[in-house]
Amino acid sequence: MNKNELKERVLAAIEENKATIIAAGRKIYSNPEFGYKEFETTKTVSEFFKNELGLEVEDKIAYTGCRARINEDKNGPKVAILGELDGISCSEHPDANSIGASHTCGHNVQIAGMLGAAVGLIKSGVFKDLDGKIDFIATPAEEFIELAYRSKLKAEGHIKYFGGKQELIRKGAFDDVDMSIMFHVLDTGDKKVLVGPESNGFIGKEIKFIGKEAHAGSAPYEGINALNAAMLAINNVNAQRETFKEADRVRFHPIITKGGDIVNVVPADVRMESYVRARTIDSMIDANKKVNRALIAGAMAVGAEIEITELPGYLPILKHDDMENVLRENLHYIGLTDEDIIDGGDFTGSFDFGDVSHIIPTLHPMFGGVKGALHTRGYSIVDEEYAYLAPAKSMALTVVDLLFDEAKTGKEILKNFKPVMTKEEYLAFMESNDKTIKA
């Protein structure tokens, strides 16, 4: 059977099962959970693997999350298709739950797309004709939020890193993976898909300003106001902004998670969280040094102390042209034209898939079918069939291309690929950003 005949069987299987795929996406959308809390979502995915596809499932791969494998007896390279389990906090969205969680991140679409790709490859029987292994991985905790909760999990030994793919890299989940693909959703306007995105990486921060309490009304002069230290620190960073190169796309966006205890006492314990984002690893390190200097100066100005806990964040996402070329052919195969495709995107946000992209060849297109900005009350899915099925088809067909005919295309890509980091170098970099600074 030739490659196009295999592809047609994959597409037919996805079409025949589209109601089941969309239903899975809707179910996950209606039950958003924050990172490392995706217990019900993991169960939904695990049951789909078992009941719909007859697969064995490995659960709790990174505290939550799950993984299924096929073609383990094949000798060719392994491709992993990923989807993300967690929601984001957007209490203003009409579909947010009682704690403000929602899938305005579009991760429910990702999971459904991953499951749809699995349906296409497995229910068609096409996977048997491919010369390589395939994994389907539901990954936790892409959104870098609820830092206090993740710090607790870390202290208890459940995790080391706050991002799900970071944790999976550390635990060896990608040790036997040669290539990996996934997607995000995006309001693409009158276009259908964006390919070749670039993004910022970041270093996370938990910051504690330590002052001295005093009666705020009768004796404020006896205290040291930690809130004033925090406000000065923010202004100090703002004064640094002209030193950041425009090409480095630096971002610092703090929130104060604790501003004091009661209004009648000079704040002595003020907490802040933020990221330092930039386009390259070098610019992340440079910007982080300047931000730390500014934060410390804010504390020193009023005689307060400061503790800055550095948290290993995400690396910038890299584009791999050989992988992009395979994807583009399959976008055309499912009926998209060059007029439907946006080439390249400049994202100052971050994806933990960027970490994976420094180690193995990856793909990370952004599909439409949604309207409104991600993480906002204006986000909505406006074309369910396209949002759920077009990525599933594109990813499944891309796997066919990579692994067909003794995996010639996949092997050629791997032959030409030079990783930016080995796993060991990656973990060493992460370790260098896992520290506490006191001043």
Side-chain angles (χ1 to χ4, degrees):
M1 191 170 294
N2 66 40
K3 186 166 64 175
N4 282 354
E5 289 173 326
L6 295 179
K7 288 186 175 184
E8 288 302 317
R9 285 170 56 184
V10 168
L11 296 180
I14 292 173
E15 280 294 325
E16 289 167 6
N17 292 275
K18 65 182 179 182
T20 303
I21 297 166
I22 293 171
R26 289 176 178 172
K27 181 177 181 180
I28 294 168
Y29 181 84
S30 67
N31 185 40
E33 297 172 295
F34 293 141
Y36 292 127
K37 296 178 179 176
E38 313 100 323
F39 304 108
E40 288 301 316
T41 311
T42 298
K43 182 179 177 182
T44 296
V45 177
S46 181
E47 289 178 349
F48 192 103
F49 282 147
K50 294 173 183 175
N51 300 334
E52 288 292 332
L53 300 172
L55 302 179
E56 294 184 6
V57 180
E58 178 187 356
D59 286 315
K60 299 180 181 179
I61 56 173
Y63 195 64
T64 55
C66 62
R67 176 182 198 151
R69 308 169 188 264
I70 58 174
N71 276 6
E72 284 297 293
D73 59 330
K74 299 294 180 78
N75 293 320
K78 176 179 283 190
V79 181
I81 303 178
L82 274 55
E84 295 163 349
L85 294 162
D86 57 328
I88 190 68
S89 180
C90 184
S91 57
E92 298 83 7
H93 195 274
D95 294 331
N97 66 14
S98 59
I99 62 170
S102 70
H103 269 298
T104 52
C105 52
H107 291 178
N108 66 301
V109 182
Q110 283 181 1
I111 291 291
M114 176 195 69
L115 296 176
V119 165
L121 292 165
I122 295 169
K123 291 202 171 186
S124 66
V126 163
F127 73 99
K128 299 174 185 177
D129 295 301
L130 301 180
D131 299 309
K133 306 171 180 68
I134 308 167
D135 284 6
F136 307 98
I137 309 176
T139 67
E142 192 271 341
E143 304 291 354
F144 203 89
I145 61 173
E146 292 197 311
L147 303 189
Y149 168 71
R150 298 186 193 191
S151 293
K152 181 174 180 289
L153 290 182
K154 181 179 179 181
E156 293 171 349
H158 297 299
I159 63 171
K160 180 173 176 61
Y161 296 125
F162 287 9
K165 295 181 195 65
Q166 299 171 321
E167 190 68 4
L168 287 169
I169 292 171
R170 179 185 74 86
K171 296 183 72 173
F174 290 97
D175 286 359
D176 63 346
V177 173
D178 298 293
M179 296 170 277
S180 186
I181 62 178
M182 62 170 295
F183 72 99
H184 256 84
V185 294
L186 183 72
D187 184 346
T188 52
D190 59 352
K191 304 292 186 179
K192 294 289 188 180
V193 62
L194 181 150
V195 299
E198 295 179 275
S199 76
N200 279 6
F202 74 90
I203 297 170
K205 291 184 176 300
E206 289 182 310
I207 307 152
K208 181 180 180 180
F209 295 92
I210 306 164
K212 180 183 176 183
E213 69 281 355
H215 195 291
S218 62
Y221 43 82
E222 294 179 356
I224 297 174
N225 194 315
L227 183 58
N228 285 343
M231 291 190 295
L232 287 170
I234 292 171
N235 286 330
N236 290 343
V237 177
N238 289 338
Q240 294 277 349
R241 292 184 186 275
E242 66 184 24
T243 74
F244 300 139
K245 297 177 183 178
E246 292 182 13
D248 289 338
R249 311 292 277 155
V250 175
R251 299 288 189 272
F252 175 74
H253 41 89
I255 61 169
I256 292 177
T257 58
K258 180 182 179 183
D261 294 305
I262 61 173
V263 72
N264 211 27
V265 175
V266 171
D269 180 2
V270 171
R271 310 293 178 96
M272 183 188 295
E273 293 180 6
S274 191
Y275 308 160
V276 177
R277 300 188 195 259
R279 182 49 49 93
T280 66
I281 291 174
D282 287 344
S283 58
M284 286 163 54
I285 294 170
D286 177 70
N288 190 59
K289 186 183 300 182
K290 292 178 179 178
V291 167
N292 282 349
R293 188 175 63 201
L295 296 174
I296 292 168
M300 290 179 63
V302 299
E305 298 177 5
I306 187 171
E307 292 182 2
I308 304 171
T309 300
E310 305 274 63
L311 304 169
Y314 302 161
L315 299 185
I317 200 164
L318 303 179
K319 181 176 70 169
H320 301 296
D321 289 335
D322 289 343
M323 296 283 280
E324 297 288 341
N325 292 337
V326 178
L327 171 67
R328 183 179 287 272
E329 289 182 11
N330 288 301
L331 293 174
H332 291 157
Y333 194 93
I334 66 170
L336 303 187
T337 69
D338 286 337
E339 293 299 312
D340 297 316
I341 301 171
I342 302 170
D343 281 299
D346 182 353
F347 295 90
T348 47
S350 307
F351 312 92
D352 67 349
F353 198 54
D355 296 52
V356 182
S357 75
H358 281 68
I359 300 172
I360 60 175
T362 56
L363 267 178
H364 190 275
M366 314 279 282
F367 281 84
V370 303
K371 182 179 181 182
L374 301 179
H375 299 188
T376 73
R377 70 185 72 188
Y379 170 88
S380 63
I381 302 172
V382 294
D383 187 343
E384 280 193 314
E385 285 210 12
Y386 181 81
Y388 290 121
L389 303 184
K393 294 174 180 178
S394 301
M395 292 193 301
L397 298 187
T398 296
V399 170
V400 171
D401 274 332
L402 293 172
L403 300 182
F404 180 73
D405 190 16
E406 298 183 353
K408 286 182 179 178
T409 298
K411 289 177 180 177
E412 186 67 22
I413 289 173
L414 292 171
K415 179 182 176 181
N416 296 327
F417 176 73
K418 294 181 180 179
V420 175
M421 292 176 165
T422 64
K423 177 186 174 182
E424 292 70 28
E425 289 169 338
Y426 167 79
L427 293 176
F429 175 76
M430 297 290 280
E431 196 68 27
S432 73
N433 291 312
D434 192 0
K435 60 183 182 290
T436 297
I437 301 166
K438 297 182 179 182

